[in-house]
Amino acid sequence: MASVHSTAEPDFRTKLQDWLPKLVLSPSVAAMVVFVYGFIVYTIYLSFTDSKMLPSYDWVGFKNYATLFGLSAWSTALVNLAVFASLYIVICMAIGLLLAIFLDQKIRGESVLRPIYLYPMALSFIVTGTAWKWFLDPGIGLEHTMQLWGWESFKFGWIKDRNMAIYTLVIAAVWQSSGFVMAMFLAGLRGIDNEMLKAAQIDGASNWQLYRRIVIPLLRPAFMSAFVILAHLAIKSYDLVIALTGGGPGRATELPATFMYSYTFTRNQMGVGAASAVIMLMGVAAVMVPYIYSELKEKK
Amino acid sequence: MAVATQDTAVRTGRITRTFIYVVLIFFACFYLLPFFIMMVNSVKPLPEITGGNMMALPKEPTIAPWLSAWSTAQIGVEATGLKPYFLNSILMVVPAVAISTVLGALNGYILTKWRFRGDTILFGLMLFSCFIPFQIVLIPMARILGILGLASTIPGLILVHVVYGIGFATLYFRNYYAAVPTELVRSAQIDGAGFFQIFWRIMLPLSGPITIVCIIWQFTNIWNDFLFGASFAGSNPPMTVALNNLVQSSTGVKEYNVHFAGAILAALPTLLVYIVAGRYFVRGLMAGSVKG
């Protein structure tokens, strides 16, 4: 085809072919630059202004951050996040690892069990919260049922208890995500070379030693991926709180995400809301940036 | 399935095996219980729920709660049921998934087969954008949607979901295409095939599995989104927001059976997708993105 054209044409065509990939990529890059990084810069800027109901551009320095860290609601949210995130991550990983190891023992019915463990991840946190809110409601859910079954003294009122409500968030969140973590560990286990395990068995290693010394260390990449995914989910947790507890009782289950929303959109303290979003972003960045950096360096 | 032969070589005794089965079945119950309870109670008349046992099977099964949740329940101020919001979600999800998947495929193709200086940094920036807490973009997004005249509209939500969905879509396709031999592309180039021809003839026919993974992922995430829907949809909210309004409404008697029917309706599309194609999703995840 090119031979019929004049000599200048192929040049143009080659040039076009050189530019085409970048041209096709450019809308995505533009969207990212504006909607992600541009917006981040804008929100960071707002966090240094005295924005209230609407954005304002009067610079106030670190005043919003000082206000933010002086608020008891914010410190409650941070403490709650620390409790929620650490339990959520640890329990999800523990259950995920346990189920993956057990499922990996030539289990009959694995193809039935696996989807059962996994299906909660298809549900939204709103649906998860609706289901668990009711299940945990002492007047109608588990407590009520146990009492009807004759266990008169059974009490399970965590969801109405200021000190315990945060743990109900953990239960519901673990229910939703632990199956997914199981799948990640199972993928890791299936990638382990069986010859190595057989050799260790011949050397007389017990099953316990086998897993502790060989298998679990080999699962390091799966641990890393699971940690990163769970950590960023924990920091972003918003819907589940809204559906399960609404942040209550009182402020017992307030998290940074719900704090940000209420300060920005209902209390009209946009500057403080923006500052809290920036802190959340820093939290995610602290987890993600080293991970992404090491991933991309390895794959090069 | 090939997976069955990849089980561990570890051998276990009979008592250990019994223990393993007990634990596995216990957890199966744990995962099934909440959904089972929602199912059972969504077909009970209200007095049977408030006066009875949540674990009991319905004495007088009725589909009235489902009909009510679908078409007559009070959502906010209007008694429209969840139907219009279900439709909103469909109208939002289909284009958003389609657009973000196509862009993700093209981006992944370019970032692996048409590499240029700085492409890794660019990809790193895209990857990070998948994980940002969306609170950081809520305020400017609300303003931009207002400026574009897209506030409280479905196209506005589509835009939002496409923009924040591109990162994951690109991630999936990039990791997948990285395993396609570049020589294939080079030799096609020597034969005179152009950018789109190579994509169309070589890459696309190979993309089945990862396309399924990407579509399931995007569909689940966008359908299940609450934050953007609650922030930007105004009077046209998607299903998740409507369900929350239904469940949290403080007026009148709490119709638990209707809430459950509504919750299952909201979960149905993603559950269906998951049941039909979930196997491919897990397999695709195992093959690609999760691999450390």
Side-chain angles (χ1 to χ4, degrees):
Chain A
M1 206 171 34
S3 56
V4 252
H5 292 291
S6 67
T7 44
E9 288 277 339
D11 256 348
F12 172 72
R13 211 187 145 209
T14 335
K15 259 189 188 154
L16 183 74
Q17 285 296 328
D18 271 358
W19 276 101
L20 206 49
K22 283 168 195 158
L23 203 68
V24 172
L25 192 63
S26 57
S28 301
V29 174
M32 178 183 80
V33 168
V34 174
F35 288 93
V36 178
Y37 294 97
F39 281 10
I40 289 176
V41 170
Y42 182 81
T43 305
I44 293 174
Y45 180 75
L46 280 188
S47 75
F48 290 104
T49 66
D50 67 345
S51 305
K52 294 282 181 245
M53 198 174 99
L54 292 168
S56 118
Y57 301 104
D58 295 328
W59 189 265
V60 294
F62 281 93
K63 189 166 156 268
N64 289 323
Y65 290 90
T67 313
L68 180 67
F69 282 93
L71 284 167
S72 69
W74 177 248
S75 28
T76 312
L78 284 184
V79 171
N80 283 340
L81 177 64
V83 172
F84 170 72
S86 47
L87 287 172
Y88 170 62
I89 294 171
V90 169
I91 298 174
C92 272
M93 286 214 203
I95 292 179
L97 183 64
L98 181 85
L99 292 179
I101 289 177
F102 281 10
L103 262 191
D104 198 34
Q105 310 294 329
K106 300 191 187 68
I107 290 302
R108 227 176 293 157
E110 188 201 320
S111 55
V112 178
L113 288 170
R114 221 172 33 181
I116 292 177
Y117 297 163
L118 267 169
Y119 89 90
M121 71 168 256
L123 306 183
S124 63
F125 276 118
I126 297 291
V127 172
T128 304
T130 306
W132 280 94
K133 180 187 189 164
W134 192 77
F135 185 75
L136 295 169
D137 187 316
I140 198 157
L142 184 67
E143 182 179 305
H144 181 68
T145 306
M146 287 310 224
Q147 289 170 353
L148 281 179
W149 278 349
W151 188 349
E152 302 282 335
S153 61
F154 185 87
K155 284 264 174 267
F156 197 77
W158 284 10
I159 200 164
K160 308 262 182 203
D161 183 338
R162 273 167 181 277
N163 297 319
M164 305 306 274
I166 189 80
Y167 302 112
T168 61
L169 276 185
V170 177
I171 296 174
V174 165
W175 179 81
Q176 205 266 358
S177 322
S178 48
F180 184 56
V181 179
M182 182 281 297
M184 292 170 74
F185 280 126
L186 195 59
L189 285 173
R190 296 274 148 92
I192 290 176
D193 183 10
N194 266 331
E195 296 308 313
M196 196 162 27
L197 298 183
K198 281 178 189 152
Q201 269 174 334
I202 291 166
D203 288 347
S206 71
N207 281 351
W208 172 247
Q209 286 173 321
L210 217 57
Y211 275 101
R212 218 181 54 124
R213 297 268 170 79
I214 301 177
V215 175
I216 292 179
L218 282 174
L219 287 178
R220 213 181 142 241
F223 272 103
M224 286 298 295
S225 310
F227 174 79
V228 166
I229 288 176
L230 293 172
H232 105 276
L233 281 179
I235 297 173
K236 286 160 81 169
S237 287
Y238 174 74
D239 334 7
L240 184 64
V241 182
I242 296 298
L244 190 68
T245 62
R251 266 194 207 125
T253 51
E254 182 99 77
L255 290 181
T258 57
F259 175 96
M260 186 274 167
Y261 201 92
S262 65
Y263 267 74
T264 308
F265 296 109
T266 48
R267 289 171 185 246
N268 298 329
Q269 299 238 36
M270 196 176 277
V272 177
S276 69
V278 172
I279 303 290
M280 288 176 67
L281 180 73
M282 286 164 66
V284 169
V287 177
M288 291 309 303
V289 171
Y291 179 74
I292 291 176
Y293 184 75
S294 69
E295 280 279 289
L296 291 181
K297 234 178 118 185
E298 254 171 49
K299 278 181 182 156
K300 244 182 178 174
Chain B
M1 224 163 65
V3 174
T5 58
Q6 288 168 12
D7 282 329
T8 177
V10 173
R11 278 162 304 193
T12 41
R14 200 192 233 165
I15 299 171
T16 324
R17 285 195 80 74
T18 315
F19 175 69
I20 287 174
Y21 276 103
V22 168
V23 171
L24 288 176
I25 289 167
F26 170 80
F27 273 100
C29 295
F30 169 67
Y31 290 117
L32 284 175
L33 197 62
F35 202 74
F36 167 79
I37 292 171
M38 280 211 292
M39 255 334 211
V40 166
N41 288 285
S42 72
V43 291
K44 281 181 192 171
L46 197 55
E48 239 184 86
I49 298 181
T50 43
N53 185 331
M54 67 170 175
M55 299 291 284
L57 293 173
K59 286 186 207 94
E60 294 166 43
T62 163
I63 59 161
W66 283 75
L67 297 177
S68 166
W70 180 247
S71 54
T72 59
Q74 186 94 12
I75 314 278
V77 286
E78 285 177 85
T80 56
L82 290 167
K83 191 167 66 175
Y85 308 102
F86 193 89
L87 222 68
N88 281 348
S89 274
I90 298 267
L91 290 175
M92 167 187 85
V93 162
V94 175
V97 171
I99 297 170
S100 60
T101 305
V102 169
L103 286 175
L106 285 168
N107 293 348
Y109 166 54
I110 294 164
L111 289 173
T112 52
K113 301 301 171 229
W114 299 84
R115 302 196 56 174
F116 51 89
R117 271 184 50 163
D119 61 353
T120 312
I121 295 172
L122 197 68
F123 178 64
L125 288 171
M126 271 193 178
L127 197 53
F128 182 70
S129 76
C130 300
F131 296 99
I132 56 165
F134 291 126
Q135 281 74 16
I136 197 86
V137 299
L138 283 184
I139 302 169
M141 196 64 183
R143 281 183 69 78
I144 293 282
L145 287 177
I147 291 168
L148 295 176
L150 293 173
S152 307
T153 65
I154 304 282
L157 277 184
I158 295 173
L159 173 74
V160 174
H161 284 299
V162 167
V163 163
Y164 298 109
I166 291 175
F168 265 116
T170 304
L171 165 69
Y172 283 131
F173 280 100
R174 180 188 178 268
N175 284 358
Y176 187 80
Y177 287 156
V180 175
T182 306
E183 292 75 44
L184 224 60
V185 175
R186 291 291 159 261
S187 60
Q189 254 183 310
I190 291 164
D191 292 344
F195 174 81
F196 283 113
Q197 275 179 311
I198 296 174
F199 180 68
W200 195 255
R201 301 238 179 99
I202 299 179
M203 304 308 273
L204 219 50
L206 295 171
S207 309
I210 199 63
T211 309
I212 292 177
V213 170
C214 184
I215 289 176
I216 295 181
W217 179 268
Q218 298 290 58
F219 184 88
T220 315
N221 271 342
I222 299 174
W223 183 274
N224 286 343
D225 161 71
F226 177 77
L227 183 63
F228 288 145
S231 309
F232 307 133
S235 54
N236 275 316
M239 193 66 174
T240 44
V241 178
L243 173 67
N244 192 53
N245 289 343
L246 169 71
V247 174
Q248 309 283 2
S249 70
S250 47
T251 48
V253 187
K254 276 207 179 296
E255 295 185 289
Y256 294 111
N257 47 4
V258 176
H259 298 177
F260 291 141
I264 299 172
L265 281 172
L268 216 52
T270 48
L271 268 182
L272 270 181
V273 166
Y274 175 81
I275 290 166
V276 173
R279 260 184 315 145
Y280 303 102
F281 180 67
V282 175
R283 223 181 287 165
L285 269 186
M286 287 180 176
S289 60
V290 173
K291 184 178 58 187

